[in-house]
C-alpha cells in the first residue's frame, strides 16, 4: 500500500509491472507520457508545458522493443528519477484520470492507495451506465420506439 | 455521486460478481462481434449509446481496413475505461438488441434476464 506522496520510484517492481501491463493496452502509456507536465502545480494549470515530446516517446518505444520491457516500465524508470521534485503516486493518478486511462486509474486508486475509483464524468464514453433496475417495482414499460 | 466500485448489495444467492468488460471470455466476445458487426450495429452502439464522437472511432476504422472486427476494437476501447459487462447489457437492452443480450446472459446477474424476455427478438434487423 502507498500514499499519494509516495514517489513513483519507490513503487515495488511487481506493482509497477502490473500497472505497466494495463498501460500496454492500446499504447496507453504513450497517452500518459504525452501529458506529463514539466512541473506539477496544484491546482494543475490547463495545458501546462509538457515534459516529453514525440521523439522522446519514440525513444522509449524503441528501447522497450530492444530491451523486451514494457514502455510503461521504462517510462516509470525515466520519469521517476527525473526532476528536482520527484513525481508521486498522486501525480500519477491525477494524470491517469486526466487522460481518461480509467482502468489504470482505478487500479492505482484501489490497489495502491486503497481509495474508491475516481469519479466518472457525467457523459461521454467514460460516463457510468446506470445498471439499477428502476422498474423492479412497476410493470416493465415497453421501450418506446 | 459516490461510486464505490461496482459493488451492488450482494445477497448470497447472487453468484455473479459484476465482471469488467475486459474480462469477457472469448466465446461470448466472439458471439457479440458476430452479431454487432452485422449492419454496423456497433456504430449505433458507439455513437448513440456509449457517447463516442465520430473522430474517436479512428482506431476502429483502421481495424476494419485490416479486416478485423470493429466490435472487437470497440469493446477493447470501452473496456479500457473499466466498464462492466452489465453496463454493456443495459445499453444493448436500450437498443433492443435481444440477440446480443442473450449471447452474454450468463455473464450478468439473473435479475437482468427478464430484460431479454421483455420484448420479441428484433426481427426488423434481419
Amino acid at each position: 500500500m502507498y500514499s499519494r506522496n509516495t514517489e513513483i520510484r519507490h513503487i515495488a517492481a511487481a506493482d509497477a509491472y502490473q500497472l505497466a501491463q494495463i498501460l500496454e493496452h492500446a499504447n496507453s502509456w504513450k497517452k500518459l507520457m504525452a501529458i506529463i507536465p514539466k512541473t506539477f502545480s496544484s491546482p494543475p494549470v490547463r495545458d501546462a508545458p509538457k515534459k516529453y515530446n514525440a521523439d522522446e516517446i519514440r525513444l522509449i518505444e524503441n528501447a522497450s522493443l530492444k530491451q523486451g520491457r514494457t514502455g510503461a516500465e521504462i517510462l516509470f524508470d525515466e520519469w521517476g528519477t527525473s526532476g528536482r521534485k520527484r513525481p508521486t503516486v498522486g501525480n500519477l493518478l491525477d494524470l491517469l484520470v486526466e487522460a481518461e486511462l480509467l482502468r489504470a486509474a482505478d487500479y492505482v486508486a484501489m490497489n495502491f492507495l486503497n481509495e474508491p475509483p475516481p469519479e466518472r464524468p457525467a457523459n461521454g464514453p467514460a460516463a457510468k451506465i446506470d445498471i439499477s433496475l428502476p422498474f423492479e417495482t412497476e410493470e416493465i414499460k415497453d421501450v418506446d420506439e | 455521486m459516490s461510486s464505490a466500485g461496482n459493488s451492488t448489495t450482494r445477497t448470497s444467492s447472487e453468484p455473479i460478481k459484476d465482471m469488467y468488460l475486459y474480462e469477457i471470455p472469448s466465446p461470448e466476445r466472439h458471439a457479440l462481434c458476430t452479431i454487432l458487426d452485422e449492419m454496423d450495429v456497433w456504430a449505433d452502439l458507439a455513437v448513440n449509446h456509449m457517447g463516442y464522437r465520430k473522430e474517436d472511432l479512428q482506431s476502429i476504422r483502421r481495424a476494419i481496413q485490416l479486416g478485423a472486427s470493429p466490435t472487437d476494437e470497440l469493446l477493447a476501447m470501452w473496456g479500457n475505461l473499466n466498464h462492466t459487462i452489465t453496463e454493456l447489457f443495459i445499453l444493448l437492452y436500450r437498443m433492443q438488441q435481444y440477440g446480443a443480450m442473450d449471447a452474454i446472459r450468463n455473464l450478468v446477474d439473473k435479475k437482468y434476464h427478464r430484460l431479454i424476455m421483455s420484448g420479441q427478438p428484433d426481427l426488423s434487423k434481419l
Side-chain angles (χ1 to χ4, degrees):
Chain A
M1 225 21 77
Y2 306 102
S3 86
R4 275 179 173 257
N5 301 323
T6 307
E7 289 182 9
I8 288 176
R9 62 193 176 113
H10 293 145
I11 296 175
D15 293 333
Y17 178 77
Q18 291 298 337
L19 179 58
Q21 288 305 313
I22 295 175
L23 288 170
E24 274 300 284
H25 296 292
N27 279 328
S28 303
W29 64 272
K30 290 184 187 173
K31 283 194 207 126
L32 167 64
M33 185 170 181
I35 64 166
I36 297 173
K38 274 205 167 67
T39 50
F40 284 96
S41 53
S42 59
V45 167
R46 285 277 334 131
D47 38 52
K50 299 303 179 230
K51 185 178 175 65
Y52 297 110
N53 59 36
D55 291 339
E56 287 160 317
I57 295 176
R58 241 188 318 280
L59 274 176
I60 288 200
E61 180 165 45
N62 297 341
S64 81
L65 296 174
K66 259 194 243 92
Q67 300 171 19
R69 290 175 71 212
T70 61
E73 279 170 295
I74 299 174
L75 171 61
F76 292 151
D77 289 349
E78 147 59 31
W79 178 33
T81 54
S82 68
R84 243 182 338 80
K85 198 178 166 321
R86 310 290 193 204
T88 64
V89 173
N91 297 139
L92 173 62
L93 179 55
D94 294 341
L95 289 174
L96 289 173
V97 172
E98 184 188 327
E100 280 203 341
L101 299 171
L102 293 178
R103 186 175 160 191
D106 284 359
Y107 183 82
V108 169
M110 292 193 279
N111 295 61
F112 286 5
L113 300 174
N114 215 1
E115 290 178 7
E119 212 61 40
R120 288 327 196 232
N123 33 49
K128 204 141 202 47
I129 306 297
D130 179 0
I131 59 171
S132 60
L133 284 171
F135 28 78
E136 225 145 1
T137 45
E138 356 114 6
E139 204 28 57
I140 292 177
K141 313 194 280 306
D142 262 345
V143 177
D144 38 42
E145 284 317 300
Chain B
M1 140 187 131
S2 87
S3 64
N6 308 303
S7 53
T8 49
T9 48
R10 285 270 162 251
T11 55
S12 58
S13 67
E14 288 174 38
I16 296 189
K17 180 179 84 52
D18 198 359
M19 288 169 77
Y20 284 117
L21 181 55
Y22 65 77
E23 293 171 318
I24 187 169
S26 42
E28 280 89 349
R29 183 178 187 127
H30 186 68
L32 273 183
C33 291
T34 311
I35 296 169
L36 299 180
D37 281 351
E38 274 299 310
M39 313 227 211
D40 288 343
V41 175
W42 65 271
D44 177 24
L45 170 61
V47 176
N48 301 323
H49 295 274
M50 289 180 173
Y52 280 105
R53 296 163 315 179
K54 293 250 173 353
E55 51 273 26
D56 298 331
L57 305 180
Q58 289 301 359
S59 60
I60 295 186
R61 266 185 219 85
R62 263 199 307 279
I64 295 174
Q65 273 147 20
L66 300 173
S69 153
T71 302
D72 198 54
E73 178 65 20
L74 178 65
L75 294 181
M77 280 166 62
W78 207 56
N80 212 13
L81 296 171
N82 244 10
H83 286 291
T84 66
I85 291 181
T86 306
E87 286 180 83
L88 176 65
F89 190 84
I90 294 292
L91 291 189
L92 293 172
Y93 170 68
R94 291 178 187 168
M95 299 172 68
Q96 296 184 295
Q97 283 294 327
Y98 302 117
M101 290 165 73
D102 195 53
I104 55 174
R105 61 182 302 127
N106 300 328
L107 305 176
V108 296
D109 203 286
K110 292 197 301 306
K111 66 181 179 184
Y112 293 101
H113 288 178
R114 57 193 169 83
L115 295 182
I116 305 175
M117 270 83 73
S118 71
Q120 313 69 19
D122 190 339
L123 302 179
S124 63
K125 291 266 170 29
L126 294 182

